[in-house]
Amino acid sequence: RIQKHNIQCDWQRGYATVAVRPQHWEELQQWHEHAQKHYGASHYQLWDKATLKQQLASDMYQGAQFDPLSGHLHPLNYTLGIAKAAADAGAQLFEQSPMTRIEPCDNGWLVHTPNGSVECKNLVYAVNTYAGLHPKFKVLEQKAIAVSTFIIATEPLGERAKDLIRNNMAICDNRHVLDYYRLSADGRLLFGGKDNEFIDDPDRMTELVRQDMLKVFPQLANVRIEHSWGGECDITRNLAPHFGRLAPTVFYAQGYSGHGMAITGIAGLAIAEAIMGDEGRLKPFEQLRHSNIITQPFLRKLGSFLGSKYYQWKDSH
């Protein structure tokens, strides 16, 4: 798609899953064997600590699984490029038009907004972390929970950036509460992580994520943090995406569990094909079983907090 639509989004191949502790390294090796045996993923490469050090200037890790086919990009520019391609193909996009009411009509559905309505044969609920904002989506809210994540961006590092990540890959560790990071096109280190529902102080969160960054790259102690931001992503209990339909002409897609930029395109394709009469791509997703998650807001927040603390404890033992 990037090539077809000439989207300028800094696409860069290369992604490594890294292991912090010896037991994480054992789990990563087991996953490597499983992926080869069951999914035919022969392109994965296992790197021991010395091999990883040739590409990544950190002493924190036991080893890595490198995927030369995955990679990283500028997510907003990619999204804008896809939106332009859709508009060029004839799609009509109406931003800042919240849905206020949905009702059946002769030709399918009537979707009301504050300034008008849309009549359509098929509906797609692409609500992600916002399922709880409307009573219509309560059934979806039971299957996914929103968790917070935070990112910081350093000042441009110049030549130092190439020394940090020599092959310019993206990196994520395989802990439950994990770190993820990469270099931007202008040479900043983008470093993300954390998951704490009870910290609403952006300055404190910036410093906490910075401390995590310094555990990986202590050599950046004197580097300025120029930007920081946070948001929510939705996860399901089994960390598998939740795609399907609520009625023959009402589809939904949510539960990307942190992999949204990779799998939203698959979700859109599967639902589009189903609308056109080919359900082959959507069916396997519909057959995935998803357990319910409590929906009471305070209990949700408390459960997310306690769960995060429990998995942080597991990660450290």
Side-chain angles (χ1 to χ4, degrees):
R1 285 179 176 161
I2 292 170
Q3 292 178 342
K4 180 179 179 180
H5 303 296
N6 191 29
I7 301 173
Q8 303 303 308
C9 61
D10 308 325
W11 167 241
Q12 170 70 41
R13 288 196 183 274
Y15 169 82
T17 304
V18 292
V20 176
R21 293 180 174 272
Q23 68 266 29
H24 300 149
W25 177 229
E26 291 178 11
E27 292 169 2
L28 191 56
Q29 293 176 85
Q30 291 169 5
W31 162 247
H32 179 81
E33 294 176 8
H34 180 86
Q36 285 187 318
K37 181 178 179 181
H38 295 281
Y39 307 128
S42 59
H43 61 285
Y44 289 151
Q45 303 170 20
L46 269 184
W47 292 354
D48 61 17
K49 190 168 188 173
T51 305
L52 177 60
K53 276 278 291 186
Q54 293 175 12
Q55 302 296 340
L56 184 65
S58 176
D59 295 317
M60 187 170 178
Y61 305 113
Q62 306 295 317
Q65 177 182 262
F66 178 69
D67 181 353
L69 301 184
S70 295
H72 58 95
L73 47 69
H74 189 302
L76 177 58
N77 286 350
Y78 175 75
T79 302
L80 293 173
I82 290 294
K84 181 180 183 302
D88 290 345
Q92 292 181 284
L93 309 178
F94 298 93
E95 297 181 89
Q96 307 299 325
S97 302
M99 178 274 293
T100 57
R101 191 171 84 257
I102 297 172
E103 61 186 18
C105 68
D106 292 341
N107 295 320
W109 303 92
L110 195 62
V111 182
H112 294 271
T113 78
N115 298 312
S117 60
V118 179
E119 187 177 306
C120 53
K121 183 178 179 182
N122 296 277
L123 277 176
V124 180
Y125 293 157
V127 290
N128 208 33
T129 59
Y130 305 104
L133 295 182
H134 195 278
K136 279 275 185 186
F137 305 141
K138 284 297 181 184
V139 65
L140 300 181
E141 189 187 19
Q142 295 173 0
K143 303 297 184 182
I145 188 170
V147 298
S148 301
T149 189
F150 301 85
I151 300 178
I152 59 175
T154 68
E155 61 184 313
L157 300 176
E159 289 300 313
R160 295 179 66 184
K162 297 177 182 177
D163 292 332
L164 286 183
I165 308 173
R166 297 179 185 95
N167 64 350
N168 199 16
M169 62 186 173
I171 298 102
C172 178
D173 67 59
N174 65 337
R175 294 176 296 181
H176 294 91
V177 182
L178 48 81
D179 298 331
Y180 55 92
Y181 51 93
R182 66 182 180 92
L183 295 171
S184 64
D186 61 349
R188 304 173 189 269
L189 179 68
L190 308 180
F191 194 99
K194 290 299 181 194
D195 169 23
N196 197 322
E197 304 301 316
F198 284 85
I199 294 180
D200 298 317
D201 182 343
D203 291 335
R204 185 181 176 197
M205 282 309 308
T206 298
E207 180 57 26
L208 288 173
V209 177
R210 176 179 173 272
Q211 292 302 320
D212 287 345
M213 178 191 76
L214 294 180
K215 293 175 185 176
V216 180
F217 298 117
Q219 62 268 46
L220 298 183
N222 296 323
V223 168
R224 293 195 316 275
I225 304 302
E226 291 195 346
H227 305 282
S228 63
W229 64 96
E232 292 184 331
C233 63
D234 64 337
I235 62 171
T236 58
R237 285 186 64 174
N238 61 4
L239 302 182
H242 185 219
F243 307 157
R245 71 190 82 198
L246 300 177
T249 58
V250 181
F251 301 84
Y252 63 84
Q254 65 165 7
Y256 298 104
S257 301
H259 303 282
M261 293 308 298
I263 201 170
T264 44
I266 295 172
L269 181 61
I271 291 174
E273 289 175 345
I275 289 172
M276 298 298 291
D278 179 2
E279 301 181 355
R281 202 184 302 267
L282 184 62
K283 278 290 185 186
F285 291 104
E286 291 186 289
Q287 292 166 358
L288 294 173
R289 293 186 176 274
H290 290 272
S291 301
N292 284 348
I293 299 174
I294 193 168
T295 57
Q296 205 281 334
F298 175 75
L299 292 179
R300 262 194 174 218
K301 199 167 187 180
L302 179 61
S304 178
F305 175 77
L306 294 176
S308 175
K309 291 301 181 185
Y310 168 72
Y311 281 114
Q312 285 179 18
W313 176 83
K314 281 195 71 173
D315 287 336
S316 64
H317 289 76

